[in-house]
Amino acid sequence: MEKKFYLVREDVLPEAMKKVVLAKQLLERKKAASVAEAAQLANISRGVFYKYRDAIFPFQAVTKENIVTLFFHLEDRSGTLSQLLGVVAAAGCNVLTIHQTIPLQGRANVTLSVSTNDMNEEIDELLAKLKQLEFVEKVEIVGSGVY
């Protein structure tokens, strides 16, 4: 049977699945010494943990071996692309492709495809940093895939 995968927002996930993710993080970060301890700390049974452990993963865990494509809407100012690439590079991403439209009315669209193999922070942390740049009007993930 072929398995299908879905990207689902956290706010619509059942509590049990969210708690399994928490338990897996506790184990990964060595905050719990065993599955039993992680399940207890996450307030779930071991049965629930084992039922969902291989079925749910944070988005950033899936992107660790992937290409992520980011779309930006930027103000057209000197040095903006360079600053943007600096933040991406500081996160440990390797830029694979860059596409920039010709600036019109003081705005330009940029699409970056980056390898996240050596990323040293979570994808949501990187997005938050990029959104804080004063010249970034919009940033979003438009796709991801294995290469």
Side-chain angles (χ1 to χ4, degrees), residues 60-78:
Q60 55 269 21
V62 176
T63 62
K64 285 294 183 193
E65 298 294 330
N66 289 340
I67 296 171
V68 174
T69 302
L70 303 169
F71 172 80
F72 299 88
H73 196 70
L74 308 175
E75 290 181 31
D76 181 32
R77 289 196 240 162
S78 179

Side-chain angles (χ1 to χ4, degrees), residues 5-145:
F5 295 87
Y6 300 90
L7 185 62
V8 180
R9 278 192 344 258
E10 180 183 31
D11 63 322
V12 298
L13 280 177
E15 272 308 304
M17 289 184 147
K18 292 180 199 177
K19 290 179 178 184
V20 168
V21 171
L22 172 61
K24 288 171 62 171
Q25 289 171 342
L26 291 168
L27 288 166
E28 185 179 301
R29 295 178 180 153
K30 309 278 191 244
K31 303 277 185 187
S34 66
V35 169
E37 184 181 1
Q40 182 180 18
L41 290 170
N43 198 26
I44 55 172
S45 69
R46 285 184 307 136
V48 167
F49 177 83
Y50 285 117
K51 179 178 180 179
Y52 293 121
R53 73 173 176 178
D54 295 326
I56 185 159
F57 305 92
F59 179 71
Q60 55 269 21
V62 176
T63 62
K64 285 294 183 193
E65 298 294 330
N66 289 340
I67 296 171
V68 174
T69 302
L70 303 169
F71 172 80
F72 299 88
H73 196 70
L74 308 175
E75 290 181 31
D76 181 32
R77 289 196 240 162
S78 179
T80 57
L81 185 58
S82 176
Q83 279 185 275
L84 182 99
L85 293 174
V87 172
V88 171
C93 295
N94 180 32
V95 176
L96 303 171
T97 65
I98 302 172
H99 175 75
Q100 180 176 349
T101 61
I102 295 172
L104 297 173
Q105 299 176 344
R107 306 286 183 268
N109 294 326
V110 174
T111 305
L112 294 180
S113 293
V114 299
S115 167
T116 58
N117 288 345
D118 298 320
M119 202 166 169
N120 54 34
E121 59 188 59
E122 303 296 342
I123 192 74
D124 54 344
E125 293 173 49
L126 174 60
L127 291 173
K129 287 179 184 176
L130 293 167
K131 288 176 182 176
Q132 289 176 350
L133 297 172
E134 64 183 54
F135 53 84
V136 173
E137 294 181 357
K138 178 181 184 179
V139 60
E140 58 188 27
I141 296 175
V142 292
S144 71

